[in-house]
Amino acid sequence: MRLPSVAPAVTRTISIVLAVAAVGVLVVTALADRQGGRGGHGTAAAPSRPATPVAESTMPGSIDLPPTSAPATPRVRAADARTWLRALAGTWTQDARKNYFEFRPDGTGEWVAFGQKLWTGKATPRNATTFDLSDRSGQGASYWQVRLVSGGRSLFFAGTQTTYHKA
């Protein structure tokens, strides 16, 4: 007995729907975090960051906010930053090159998921293994962070709780 095959168009459609759903979850989570910070506790809420690091986003449900002051990043010596960014440089894939991060030695990079570019910006080192991601305008959020794990052989993305491997 032969099972019918799924057409490539159906597979592609499912992949796009899953990618949009994943981005939607991130946006809803970010908005919920922002709303939670405005509680009536009598304290001023810290300035918030955009729900998505891509300011010129065309993703459904995304919002563009004016730049806010970012929390201070630790002081890092320029020589250390260059060394740490070289360790981050390269392509980090999740599966069959459809989901990957690509970083250049200067820290610029991009994130592609399901064949769609979801982020373009810069990685700023906090230390030898942790890097904050921001878009071209310098905006980011706490979940837009990557961390080198397994002695630098893997990259963990906090935004989706996913591990990528060096290609």
Side-chain angles (χ1 to χ4, degrees), residues 88 92 127 129-131 145-149 154-158:
L88 179 67
W92 301 85
N127 57 44
T129 60
T130 305
F131 302 85
Q145 187 177 80
V146 293
R147 191 172 63 243
L148 296 177
V149 294
S154 298
L155 177 124
F156 178 77
F157 176 44

Side-chain angles (χ1 to χ4, degrees), residues 62-143:
S62 66
I63 56 174
D64 294 338
L65 296 176
T68 60
S69 59
T73 56
R75 288 270 183 216
V76 175
R77 291 181 347 164
D80 289 338
R82 283 191 299 272
T83 302
W84 298 339
L85 287 170
R86 277 194 300 270
L88 179 67
T91 302
W92 301 85
T93 62
Q94 182 186 15
D95 58 2
R97 303 216 17 104
K98 286 186 180 180
N99 297 324
Y100 64 89
F101 275 95
E102 186 169 1
F103 292 102
R104 288 170 275 298
D106 66 353
T108 59
E110 65 186 28
W111 173 39
V112 175
F114 302 103
Q116 302 289 320
K117 190 182 295 186
L118 299 179
W119 169 81
T120 300
K122 185 164 182 68
T124 305
R126 286 191 159 272
N127 57 44
T129 60
T130 305
F131 302 85
D132 292 333
L133 303 180
S134 59
D135 69 1
R136 286 172 256 147
S137 67
Q139 298 300 305
S142 61
Y143 51 85

